[in-house]
Structures are given as structure tokens and as C-alpha cells.
Amino acid sequence: MIFAQESFSSDESIMKLKPLFLLALLFVLTAAGQAQDPVIRVSTPEQIKAGFVKVPCENRERLTAVRTLFEQAGAPSAEISIDHYKTVENLVVTKRGQSAETIIVGAHYDKVADGCGAVDNWTGIVVLAHLYHSIKDVALKKTLVFVAFGKEEGGLVGSSAMVKAMTEDQVSEYCAMVNIDSLGLAPPQVADNLSSKKLEQFTLDLAKEMNLQFAHATVQGAEADSLPFMTRKIPAVTIHGLTNQWPTILHTFRDQSSKVNPMSVYLGYRFALGIIARLDDSPCAAYRER
């Protein structure tokens, strides 16, 4: 495996954000169809960092905490739903677009028994809420569905339940799934073995276009919520921010907020915003595997 190094310069990372700001502007002009007064709220590194001041360390606290984050991000309570399946609950917030074509952006909210699950995967949940806040008032071409999955650590239970419940018509409308799992140790990367090939190449090309420090590798022995979507032929990609030292932190007592590098999470958020922008402007079938 080749991961980016854990130590990276915040100044260097900040310098690399100039192309990201340009892409954010492109997102507004394209996704909003040149509408008057489009609003995109780009979160700051300080706002991202604030999401780790208090990380819920018990699974019984996590779902309520996710709802609170989305409410703070501006989601009306009536638009936050809990999808109840036999053994799991997923939190869903839907941002309606101009069509029924759909992009799913997901992150799991549960954790293992050890540690606080700050890296794995409160980082993904924080990014999910900030992405919603950034685009909630922008007119999109596609519908955007934010999903906080339950029981990922128990065998991808929440994402599998969602996929199993899909009709064939729904599957045909799902253009892509972007999974955010375990940022916080390095700049954003794509997991080769947890991603569709065409969508993986899309992320690599986009990172190069953004001049974003980026890498990709096979995460040995790992599973992620992108996999159930891939079984239904829905293009999916998992974005993470891990290093070669991840086994010493994830699923251990060391997974605490002190291990989270806020700049890593911020870069992941900005990259995910760029991914959503480009996917919203792409044909729905562009990244489906033949």
C-alpha cells in the first residue's frame, strides 16, 4: 500500500486550495444555471475543526448527534428522516434537484467498542453536514441524498439495507455514490478496492485538475459502504484520509479527537464538494461500468 505521509504542511495544503475555490465558483455558476443570487456557503477550516471539540464516544449517542449536526447546518427537522430497517437506522436528508437523477453522499455514524470513533468515522459525518450546509440553497440539476449509515462496523448493515430496498427503477436513477470514511490523518485519497474503476479514475483526474495532493491504494481487509451500491451496478467511490499507520489508530482506544488533523478533514470536504459539482453536471450514465 502507498499512502500519503501523515505529516504534511498546512501552509502547502492551503496553497493548493486556490484551484478549489475556482471550482467552487464554477459549481455555483453551472449548478445554479446562472440564476440570480446563487448561494454557496464554503466552510472554513476553523468551522470544520469545531466539529471535533466534542465527539460522541458512545454508539447510543451518535444518531442524535448526527441529527443535531444537520439541524445546525440548516436542515429543517421535517426534512430529516430516519429510515428504519429490521436491525438498523439510517438518517437521510434529501436536497431535491431539477430531476429525479440522484447522487448519494454517505458516511457511517457508528463506531466499534474501543475509542471514540473520531477518525472512523466522525470525520465523515462532520464533512457530510458541512457539504449539506454548503449547497442547501443552490439549485442542482440532480437530487442529492445525504445518508448517515448505521452499523457499518457490523458488516455494512445500513448501506446494505438501503440498497436491498431499492427498486430497479430507483437503481436506474442513481448516478453515483460518494462514500466518505475515515479522513483526518492525511490528504484525501481513494480506496482502489472499495471503488468503481470509472469513478475512481474520475476522482484521480479531478484531483489532478485541482492540483490537490492525492494518492490511491488498496486498503487491505477493509470494507466500506460503497460496496453494496457497487453490487447493484451503481458507480461508487470511497474517499478516505489514511496513512500506513491507520491500523494503530482505527478500531483501537487511540481513535480520539486528538488524532484528527482538521486540515485533512477540510481538504476532504473541499474535494467532496468538487466531486459533487462535477457529478451534478455529468450525464447520469457517465461512470457506469459496462
Side-chain angles (χ1 to χ4, degrees), residues 3 6 12 29 42 56 73 75 92 117 138 163 170-171 193 211-212 224 234 265 283:
F3 291 98
E6 184 168 356
E12 179 185 358
L29 296 178
V42 180
V92 179
V138 176
V163 169
Q170 288 174 323
V171 169
N193 56 319
N211 193 29
L212 179 68
I234 298 170
V265 183

Side-chain angles (χ1 to χ4, degrees), residues 35-287:
Q36 290 185 346
D37 300 322
V39 177
I40 183 169
R41 300 174 176 85
V42 180
S43 299
T44 66
E46 291 74 23
Q47 289 171 324
I48 294 289
K49 184 177 180 179
F52 301 95
V53 172
K54 181 175 174 55
V55 175
C57 295
E58 300 292 337
N59 265 321
R60 64 177 180 272
E61 304 170 339
R62 306 275 277 203
L63 185 58
T64 299
V66 175
R67 175 184 285 274
T68 298
L69 278 183
F70 271 97
E71 289 175 344
Q72 292 172 345
S77 296
E79 294 183 9
I80 302 174
S81 64
I82 305 296
D83 285 355
H84 298 270
Y85 301 96
K86 185 179 296 186
T87 62
V88 67
E89 295 176 317
N90 297 336
L91 183 143
V92 179
V93 182
T94 300
K95 158 72 175 169
R96 298 291 176 188
Q98 297 170 11
S99 75
E101 294 182 343
T102 300
I103 301 167
I104 301 171
V105 185
H108 75 88
Y109 65 84
D110 64 308
K111 57 177 285 295
V112 297
D114 293 334
C116 274
V119 175
D120 183 16
N121 183 36
W122 200 245
T123 56
I125 291 300
V126 167
V127 166
L128 206 64
H130 278 274
L131 289 171
Y132 173 82
H133 181 260
S134 292
I135 65 170
K136 68 184 183 70
D137 294 323
V138 176
L140 299 176
K141 295 178 180 178
K142 296 179 176 64
T143 293
L144 201 59
V145 178
F146 297 89
V147 187
F149 296 110
K151 295 189 177 180
E152 186 267 359
E153 302 291 2
L156 314 181
V157 179
S159 54
S160 296
M162 179 180 181
V163 169
K164 185 177 180 180
M166 292 177 183
T167 66
E168 288 301 321
D169 287 342
Q170 288 174 323
V171 169
S172 67
E173 292 175 345
Y174 285 126
C175 307
M177 187 272 182
V178 180
N179 183 50
I180 304 168
D181 195 340
S182 301
L183 300 168
L185 303 183
Q189 301 157 66
V190 63
D192 293 343
N193 56 319
L194 306 174
S195 304
S196 304
K197 295 306 178 185
K198 286 187 178 181
L199 204 54
E200 175 187 2
Q201 188 61 51
F202 158 82
T203 61
L204 295 173
D205 292 343
L206 186 59
K208 183 177 180 179
E209 181 180 335
M210 291 179 172
N211 193 29
L212 179 68
Q213 185 179 348
F214 200 75
H216 64 107
T218 296
V219 185
Q220 297 289 351
E223 292 186 314
D225 285 318
S226 53
L227 292 177
F229 292 87
M230 291 166 62
T231 65
R232 295 294 297 271
K233 307 300 182 182
I234 298 170
V237 62
T238 286
I239 303 298
H240 66 87
L242 299 176
T243 68
N244 284 327
Q245 287 71 48
W246 71 267
T248 68
I249 298 174
L250 271 64
H251 295 189
T252 77
F253 70 92
R254 297 183 183 88
D255 191 352
Q256 307 287 338
S257 57
S258 60
K259 293 295 184 182
V260 175
N261 185 324
M263 184 54 65
S264 166
V265 183
Y266 180 67
L267 290 173
Y269 152 73
R270 293 305 298 270
F271 186 47
L273 191 60
I275 291 172
I276 293 169
R278 190 59 57 83
L279 288 175
D280 186 61
D281 202 41
S282 300
C284 190
Y287 303 104

